[in-house]
Amino acid sequence: MNKWYMNPGEQDDIVISTRIRLARNLDDFLFPSKLDAATKTQIGGIIKDALDGCEPALNFTDMSALSHLQAVSLAERHIISPEFTVQAEGTGLLLSEDESVSIMLCEEDHIRLQVMKPGLDLDGAYEEADSIDNKVDGKVNYAFDDGIGYLTSSPSNLGTAMRASVFLHLPALTENGRISDLANTVSKLGLSISGVYGKRSSPIGDIYQISNRLTLGITEQTAISNLQSIVMQLIAQEKTSAQRLLEDTAGQDRVFRALGILKNARVLGGTEFMQLISLVRCGVAGGLIDIPIEKINTLIIEMQPATLSVTNSSIETVAQRDIARAEAVRNSLSQ
Amino acid sequence: MNKWYMNPGEQDDIVISTRIRLARNLDDFLFPSKLDAATKTQIGGIIKDALDGCEPALNFTDMSALSHLQAVSLAERHIISPEFTVQAEGTGLLLSEDESVSIMLCEEDHIRLQVMKPGLDLDGAYEEADSIDNKVDGKVNYAFDDGIGYLTSSPSNLGTAMRASVFLHLPALTENGRISDLANTVSKLGLSISGVYGKRSSPIGDIYQISNRLTLGITEQTAISNLQSIVMQLIAQEKTSAQRLLEDTAGQDRVFRALGILKNARVLGGTEFMQLISLVRCGVAGGLIDIPIEKINTLIIEMQPATLSVTNSSIETVAQRDIARAEAVRNSLSQ
C-alpha cells in the first residue's frame, strides 16, 4: 500500500506535509511517568479497544519488541518522537497502513495521536484527528477541566493540547539568509520554527517545521488559522526568493549539478544527499526539473539512515549504507 | 568534413593521437630568422607550388591575415606551435581539410610538416609525412649534409629532423603519483614526456606528450621503434593502475559524478572541464561508461578556450564562454 507521503498535496512545491498532534490522558490514571509497565500496558489495551473498528485500521506494535534501528526509523519518519525510541516496557504504537495516523501509547501522555497529510492541509488533518479523538472520547473519560481544557503531563500543552505543524522546504530563504529574521518574526506571533533534519543550529536540507506554541486560551480553529496565514506568507516569500535564485545561471548550475551527482554517484552520505536533494527539489518547485515532487519527498523520508538500513537487510556498515543510498537514489531518479 | 580526431584508432582507450613532425630547409635560402617578410613569402610560394596536386589537398592561409583568436585556436588544436601564433609577416600555413596534415611555412625552419593520426599509428603517420616530404624533395633542394643529415635552424633537430610524438591519457598513473618516476625513466631512454594542457608544472586533464629527443646518429625507423616500445609499456602500466582505480567504489563514484556534472552543469570553466572529462575518459577506457572515445577526444579539442570562441561568435566574455562550454558538453554527451 502507498504511504501517505507518496501522494500529491496542496502547495506541495513548498509544503512537504502537515501534521496535527493531540495529547490526551485518561482521567482514572496518573500520567505515564508515574506508572509501572503493567499499568501502561493496561492503558494501551483500553485505548486499543476503544479504537476497534476505527477507519483507517490501526495496527498495534509493542514498542519494546522493536529493534533499536526499527524504533529510530519510526522517529526519522516522524511517526514517533525521538524520546519514544527509548522503548520503555508497556509503551505501544498504533499505526495505520499508510502511516498517516499514529498513536503513541504512554509516551509523555497516555495518548499522543497524530495525523499526517501531504502538502498543506491543516483542516483535513485536524478533521481526521478530531474524528478519531471523538471515537476514543465516547468510550473513556478524558482528563479535562472546564476552565483549562485538556490536562496534560507538560503544562506547555494544557488547553487544546494540540500541536499543529507544517513542514516547509525553504531553500531560497535559507540561501539568502532571511530565514533567521523570519524565525524571529514567527516567534513573536506565538509560533515556533526549527530545522527538521540535522542539528538545530545547522539544519540540513532546508526543511523547517513551523508549529503553534499557544494551546491555552485559544481554540483549535484560531490556532490553525493563525498558522495557516503565516505559512501562506512564508510560501509567497520563498517563491519570490526562489525565482530570483533560479533566474541566475549560477543558481541553475548548482541545481543541475546536484541532479547530475544524485543521478550518477556511487557513494552518497546522508548529509550530502540532503544538501543535493534540497537543490533538486528547489529546481523541481521552480519548474526547471521535471520530476514528481512526491518522488523527491519520498526519497527524503526513505533515504534517512535508519529507515534505509531497516528496508535493506544487507546493510551492516556506514560505507555499505552510503553505497545503497546512492543506488536507491539513482534508481529512483532514472525512472 | 570530419576532422581526423573524430575517427577511432589503435589503442585509443589510452592513446589519443600520434604525430610526426619533420623540419626541412631549402638550400638556397638562409634560415627564417634571418629573412625579411618578402623572402619568407617567396619561400612559402615555392613550397606551395611544390605541393600542388598533393593528396590530401592543402589549403593555404596567410598567418598575418588571421585574428589572434584564430591563431591561438590553431595552436590549441596542435596544428601550429604556440610560437607561430605571433603571426610574423610572410609566414603561412598549409592545412588539409581534415586537419591531419599541416605545414608551417617559415616558422623556425622553412618547412615544418606534421601528420596527425588518431590512436597509436607511428608507422602510418611517418609514411604519410615521408610521402609528402618526398613530393617536395623532388622539386626543391633541401639543406642536407651527407654526414649529419637534414640541417635545421636549431641544432637539437639536426639529423633526421624528425620529432615523433604520442599523446597519451594517463589518469591512473597521474592519480597514483607514478607519472613522475616514469618521466625520469623515459628521460634516461632518450625520450621526453610533458603535460599537453595547462602549465608544465601542473598539467590538467592527465594528457601527456611523449616524444623522441634524439635526431642525430639514429634512423627514423629506430627512433620510432624505440618510442613505440616505451609507449606500449606505458599503456600496460596505465591499464593495470586504471583497473585498480576503477575496481574501487570510491573510484567509480568519482568517475560517475564527473559524468553527472558534465551532463548537467550550466557553467563549466576550462580547467574544471578538463579535470572532469579526464575522469569520464578513464571510465570509458575502463568499460564503465558507454560513450565513443572519439567523442571524448573531440570535446577535449573543441572545448579549449580559443577554439570554442572561434566557433561560437556570440561569445564575448569568459562567463559567456563557460556557459557555452557547458551547453556544448551537455548536448554532446546527451546524444
Side-chain angles (χ1 to χ4, degrees), chain A residues 2-200:
Chain A
N2 268 5
K3 303 302 181 195
W4 65 272
Y5 49 78
M6 295 174 178
N7 300 316
E10 292 293 313
Q11 305 284 352
D12 64 5
D13 47 351
I14 292 176
V15 180
I16 294 185
S17 57
T18 300
R19 176 171 75 187
I20 294 287
R21 197 183 261 182
L22 301 177
R24 298 289 184 261
N25 289 282
L26 307 191
D27 204 23
D28 308 332
F29 295 87
L30 297 173
F31 288 129
S33 62
K34 307 284 181 192
L35 299 178
D36 59 19
T39 317
K40 287 183 189 173
T41 305
Q42 185 193 347
I43 292 172
I46 293 170
I47 296 161
K48 209 165 63 169
D49 289 348
L51 284 166
D52 192 42
C54 169
E55 259 314 311
L58 300 174
N59 303 309
F60 176 79
T61 301
D62 178 348
M63 283 303 291
S64 61
L66 294 180
S67 72
H68 180 63
L69 201 63
Q70 288 173 317
V72 172
S73 168
L74 289 170
E76 280 178 352
R77 289 177 280 155
H78 304 291
I79 292 168
I80 65 171
S81 62
E83 294 75 16
F84 207 52
T85 59
V86 175
Q87 308 163 258
E89 287 281 328
T91 61
L93 174 69
L94 291 168
L95 182 62
S96 67
E97 193 75 19
D98 73 351
E99 298 181 357
S100 69
V101 178
S102 67
I103 301 177
M104 290 185 283
L105 299 169
C106 290
E107 194 237 27
E108 190 181 290
D109 296 294
H110 298 147
I111 295 176
R112 278 288 178 97
L113 159 66
Q114 75 170 23
V115 174
M116 300 280 278
K117 296 279 183 193
L120 181 60
D121 187 10
L122 283 161
D123 291 336
Y126 179 73
E127 257 173 48
E128 185 163 355
D130 188 45
S131 127
I132 297 168
D133 179 42
N134 288 339
K135 203 165 165 66
V136 182
D137 200 11
K139 298 188 182 162
V140 303
N141 286 325
Y142 278 158
F144 185 83
D145 177 277
D146 282 341
I148 296 174
Y150 294 101
L151 303 179
T152 55
S153 172
S154 162
S156 66
N157 296 318
L158 284 174
T160 59
M162 179 194 79
R163 178 82 17 125
S165 301
V166 176
F167 294 78
L168 297 146
H169 182 228
L170 305 174
L173 290 172
T174 307
E175 168 80 14
N176 66 18
R178 296 205 49 219
I179 194 75
S180 48
D181 284 351
L182 287 166
N184 287 336
T185 311
V186 157
S187 173
K188 284 177 195 145
L189 296 167
L191 303 168
S192 69
I193 187 165
S194 61
V196 172
Y197 298 99
K199 291 175 187 160
R200 245 156 214 273

Side-chain angles (χ1 to χ4, degrees), chain A residues 249-250 252-253 256-257 259-261 263-269 272 276 323 326, chain B residues 249-250 252-253 256-257 259-261 263-269 272 276 323 326:
Chain A
T249 314
Q252 294 171 17
D253 186 52
F256 279 104
R257 280 173 182 245
L259 179 65
I261 293 172
K263 283 174 113 168
N264 285 280
R266 262 53 187 173
V267 182
L268 211 45
E272 189 193 11
L276 295 174
I323 291 172
Chain B
T249 314
Q252 294 170 16
D253 185 52
F256 279 104
R257 281 173 183 245
L259 179 65
I261 293 173
K263 282 173 115 169
N264 286 280
R266 261 53 186 171
V267 182
L268 211 46
E272 188 193 11
L276 296 173
I323 292 171

Side-chain angles (χ1 to χ4, degrees), chain B residues 61-133:
Chain B
T61 301
D62 179 348
M63 284 302 291
S64 61
L66 294 179
S67 71
H68 180 64
L69 201 64
Q70 288 172 318
V72 172
S73 167
L74 289 170
E76 280 177 354
R77 286 177 282 155
H78 304 293
I79 292 167
I80 65 171
S81 62
E83 294 75 16
F84 207 51
T85 59
V86 174
Q87 307 164 261
E89 286 281 329
T91 61
L93 174 69
L94 291 168
L95 182 62
S96 68
E97 193 75 19
D98 73 350
E99 297 180 357
S100 68
V101 178
S102 67
I103 302 177
M104 290 186 282
L105 300 168
C106 291
E107 196 237 24
E108 193 181 288
D109 297 294
H110 297 148
I111 295 175
R112 279 287 178 98
L113 159 65
Q114 76 171 23
V115 174
M116 301 279 278
K117 296 278 183 194
L120 181 59
D121 189 8
L122 282 161
D123 291 335
Y126 179 72
E127 257 172 48
E128 186 164 354
D130 189 44
S131 125
I132 297 169
D133 180 40

Side-chain angles (χ1 to χ4, degrees), chain B residues 279-301:
Chain B
L279 282 164
V280 169
R281 200 182 187 286
C282 182
V284 171
L288 284 186
I289 297 173
D290 184 24
I291 297 176
I293 203 106
E294 314 90 75
K295 181 180 267 194
I296 307 284
N297 295 346
T298 300
L299 280 175
I300 290 172
I301 291 172

